[in-house]
Amino acid sequence: MAQAISARRGLRRLWLSLLGYSLLFVLLQKAVFPRLSLPEGAGLLLSGVLAAAWPLACGMTGAEKPVSRPVRRPRAGDLVFLFCLTVVGNLGVTAVVPVLEGLWKVLGVTARQGGQGEETLTPLLALYICLVGPLLEELIYRGVLLQRLRPFGAGTAVVLSALCFGLMHHDLYQGLAAFWCGLVYGYTALRYAPGWAVGLHVTGNTAAVLLPHLRGLGTAGALVTLVLVFGSVPVAVAGVVRRLWRRWRQLPVPAAAPSAPARALWGEPALWVLLVLDAGYLVFSSFTRL
């Protein structure tokens, strides 16, 4: 009983620390650092680092111990497949934007697309997007949150951590892409190790930063873009089909039962406060009247 109470308190502290992380990041990025005339990108970098300190401290000093499991080393083909999955997810969000915009116009609103109005790419901004941001986010959402949620089942851990990750972006289209990528990163962290999820996140963000600049490289840049964009779809589809075929041919293996009751997770008010406030701010910051 005492251990269960301690676990619930640890999760409550973690949800509140994630809420503090989200609020502090917005406050620093939108209200504090813009008034200090810092170099472009410095405010975002400092906001991410300072805001991440609280959830990392709370998560790493909690009462629960991470669930140990054998670590499998991924093959090169596995990593290529997972990277292509993230690319396909981003392509899917891009493809669905016109459909959603048509729906928003019917409702008399429009959603700002991610990247509009952001700072011009500078070395500091590139450093945050390509390295510091992915490292901090993976430490928080896959290194701490995902591990804390594993006793409630692997599926619940991956989906809920990805949902929190997507809502934290406070942008509709970025949030959709981040949710998809969060599912892939969560799967990677559980099947292999969190370090591989960090590498995948860094690679994906770096590719997203470099892709627009390939246009200036002429034919070579266009060819790389075509291979990256259109080559990812068949690789991702083939990888999914291959894994489904493997699972179908194998004897069904019963999944491990969650070791913690679901009510201890979904009955915690701090979780719902976090989800509602992050979702509310995402809507507020994304939509504008036509």
Side-chain angles (χ1 to χ4, degrees), residues 97-108:
V97 166
V99 178
L100 293 177
E101 281 299 313
L103 175 60
W104 308 145
K105 287 181 180 179
V106 173
L107 300 176

Side-chain angles (χ1 to χ4, degrees), residues 10-269:
L11 271 179
R12 182 181 305 132
R13 183 169 60 250
L14 184 59
W15 297 129
L16 293 176
S17 69
L18 287 176
L19 178 60
Y21 165 64
S22 182
L23 295 176
L24 183 58
F25 185 85
V26 171
L27 178 64
L28 292 174
Q29 184 191 6
K30 302 294 185 181
V32 176
F33 289 126
R35 301 181 180 182
L36 300 180
S37 301
L38 297 173
E40 292 184 344
L44 182 60
L45 179 62
L46 291 172
S47 298
V49 171
L50 294 176
W54 188 9
L56 288 176
C58 290
M60 293 179 177
T61 59
E64 304 97 313
K65 295 182 179 179
V67 181
S68 60
R69 70 188 300 271
V71 177
R72 306 175 185 176
R73 186 177 181 86
R75 295 171 295 182
D78 297 324
L79 297 176
V80 171
F81 163 67
L82 292 169
F83 173 75
C84 290
L85 270 185
T86 64
V87 174
V88 168
N90 286 312
L91 290 176
V93 172
T94 302
V96 82
V97 166
V99 178
L100 293 177
E101 281 299 313
L103 175 60
W104 308 145
K105 287 181 180 179
V106 173
L107 300 176
V109 297
T110 185
R112 294 187 292 271
Q113 297 186 31
Q116 294 182 352
E118 291 185 356
E119 302 154 302
T120 305
L121 187 65
T122 63
L124 285 177
L125 185 57
L127 175 65
Y128 179 79
I129 295 175
C130 298
L131 182 60
V132 178
L135 178 59
L136 292 176
E137 289 169 357
E138 290 307 309
L139 285 174
I140 293 171
Y141 290 97
R142 260 65 65 177
V144 174
L145 180 58
L146 183 72
Q147 302 302 325
R148 291 297 188 87
L149 296 178
R150 283 179 65 177
F152 300 96
T156 297
V158 170
V159 173
L160 185 53
S161 62
L163 177 61
C164 293
F165 178 59
L167 292 177
M168 180 275 299
H169 283 73
H170 300 148
D171 179 280
L172 177 63
Y173 300 129
Q174 282 188 357
L176 289 174
F179 173 70
W180 173 266
C181 291
L183 295 176
V184 178
Y185 300 153
Y187 169 84
T188 303
L190 287 187
R191 183 170 181 81
Y192 304 113
W196 294 107
V198 173
L200 196 62
H201 197 162
V202 169
T203 304
N205 280 22
T206 302
V209 168
L210 294 179
L211 196 58
H213 299 281
L214 293 177
R215 300 171 185 171
L217 299 180
T219 303
L223 182 61
V224 172
T225 302
L226 287 174
V227 171
L228 180 62
V229 173
F230 294 101
S232 296
V233 176
V235 171
V237 172
V240 170
V241 171
R242 180 168 174 263
R243 282 159 175 77
L244 291 176
W245 174 253
R246 274 184 176 180
R247 178 166 295 186
W248 181 77
R249 292 188 62 186
Q250 292 174 350
L251 293 175
V253 179
S259 59
R263 64 178 180 274
L265 176 64
W266 301 110
E268 174 52 56

